[in-house]
Amino acid sequence: MASYLQPTPHPSARILAGVRSLPPPPTAPLLPTRNAFAGRKAAAFRPARRFVLGLGASFWAQSMATSGAFGGKSFLASARPSSNVEQVLKNVEWPEQFPFKEEDFQRFDESSDSQFYEAPRFVTHIDDPAIAALTKFYSKVLPPSNSPGVSILDMCSSWISHYPAGYKQERIVGMGMNEEELKRNLVLTEYIIQDLNVNPKLPFEDNSFDVITNVVSVDYLSKPLDVFKEMSRILKPGGQAIMSFSNRCFWTKAISIWTSTGDTDHVLIVGSYFHYAGGFEPPQAVDISPNPGQSDPMYIVYSRKASTT
């Protein structure tokens, strides 16, 4: 486990969801960690992060709770137990407009991401059981190795993509922030260095890829709708986008709405990106956490590009 990564804290604030409100769970203690940032003590983690949700989340929650647009049902909910993860995106009645605001995508550290990722980090950002669970999931959903004509984009890639051992395709593109890390990734056939928070435009032709993967990095996207719209553009009809995440991150670089909410709410947030980007089928969620309460949790939110008729 890359133990210097901080776990996302449980929120005390209530957050929106497409289910009825439940009592908030007890606050989970922080796992023992090793500080990733020179000169900053891990004990400073709680007071240093943002204290409140951005205005967008607050507005969505309040508007859902007070309006009668959805038959009077309550759409407020606290951070729910992970056992509900796979139900969160079922039958969601989304607001007409994307409810999050610019403030929700600000980070504690707004300095250059290129500078932050300048030094390579040859580490894994989730522990071994979580990695094994993700690799097992990939083995079931990715096209078989060496399938003719298959192209895959590993977005926000690094020195390892967690695909099954020996996995190969004619084209596997890695898009990341550090060239030394991408050079080390043996599954890639090519790579591109790009900061999606500066330029969310993906440098690929329409309908280019069968699959897009993203591992524990969706929480760093400060322009997620732009990126997800681009994902829809470059996926082939019926192509699949797989977003996987845990509860660990470089918290100073994660967006405010992420560090202020819990695991299950993260599923709803990523689901909203698919929904409001357009061009995708209704997103689905899977909890692949290997040992709940004992190792890093692992969640998947995925969708397919709507097929043309």
Side-chain angles (χ1 to χ4, degrees), residues 33-114:
T33 58
R34 176 165 55 88
N35 187 19
F37 310 103
R40 296 178 182 173
K41 295 183 179 179
F45 170 61
R46 282 191 179 276
R49 72 178 182 86
R50 288 186 175 274
F51 294 102
V52 295
L53 295 176
L55 297 178
S58 301
F59 175 78
W60 190 356
Q62 292 170 10
S63 64
M64 282 185 164
T66 57
S67 74
F70 304 128
K73 290 193 297 182
S74 170
F75 280 73
L76 285 176
S78 62
R80 291 161 300 280
S82 61
S83 59
N84 288 333
V85 160
E86 298 186 4
Q87 304 300 317
V88 170
L89 295 178
K90 294 184 178 180
N91 303 315
V92 178
E93 299 179 72
W94 302 100
E96 183 176 349
Q97 301 294 326
F98 188 57
F100 299 122
K101 305 299 182 183
E102 182 178 353
E103 296 91 329
D104 296 314
F105 302 102
Q106 294 175 346
R107 288 91 54 80
F108 183 87
D109 179 3
E110 292 287 4
S111 64
S112 169
D113 288 346
S114 295

Side-chain angles (χ1 to χ4, degrees), residues 102-305:
E102 182 178 353
E103 296 91 329
D104 296 314
F105 302 102
Q106 294 175 346
R107 288 91 54 80
F108 183 87
D109 179 3
E110 292 287 4
S111 64
S112 169
D113 288 346
S114 295
Q115 181 179 358
F116 183 84
Y117 293 103
E118 183 177 8
R121 295 180 175 91
F122 298 110
V123 297
T124 52
H125 301 286
I126 46 179
D127 63 18
D128 289 344
I131 291 172
L134 179 60
T135 300
K136 181 179 180 181
F137 179 83
Y138 279 154
S139 70
K140 296 178 180 179
V141 302
L142 291 180
S145 190
N146 292 309
S147 295
V150 165
S151 295
I152 296 177
L153 172 62
D154 189 27
M155 184 182 292
C156 303
S157 189
S158 181
W159 68 283
I160 187 170
S161 296
H162 306 306
Y163 296 168
Y167 189 79
K168 294 182 179 180
Q169 295 296 353
E170 180 179 334
R171 188 187 191 197
I172 301 180
V173 183
M175 173 176 280
M177 294 287 290
N178 185 277
E179 186 169 13
E180 292 304 313
E181 292 179 12
L182 294 172
K183 284 181 178 179
R184 187 82 67 90
N185 192 331
L186 298 180
V187 75
L188 304 179
T189 60
E190 59 189 275
Y191 64 80
I192 294 174
I193 309 298
Q194 183 169 323
D195 184 349
L196 293 174
N197 290 337
V198 173
N199 177 19
K201 177 74 173 179
L202 301 179
F204 306 108
E205 299 293 329
D206 296 357
N207 307 316
S208 296
F209 292 94
D210 298 274
V211 180
I212 298 174
T213 58
N214 181 306
V215 181
V216 296
S217 295
V218 69
D219 46 321
Y220 302 122
L221 298 177
S222 62
K223 300 175 181 177
L225 272 194
D226 293 334
V227 172
F228 275 62
K229 288 176 181 178
E230 281 290 285
M231 286 164 49
S232 175
R233 179 183 65 81
I234 68 172
L235 276 173
K236 300 175 184 178
Q240 187 167 214
I242 304 170
M243 306 290 110
S244 60
F245 49 91
S246 185
N247 65 352
R248 290 185 172 273
C249 62
F250 295 116
W251 65 271
T252 63
K253 284 296 185 180
I255 58 174
S256 173
I257 190 62
W258 196 273
T259 59
S260 300
T261 55
D263 292 2
T264 309
D265 295 304
H266 296 161
V267 170
L268 188 70
I269 291 167
V270 177
S272 77
Y273 298 163
F274 280 115
H275 176 79
Y276 291 102
F280 287 102
E281 296 178 355
Q284 300 182 58
V286 181
D287 184 350
I288 61 169
S289 303
N291 303 299
Q294 299 179 40
S295 62
D296 289 344
M298 203 67 204
Y299 309 108
I300 307 287
V301 176
Y302 67 95
S303 181
R304 291 187 180 277
K305 180 175 178 177

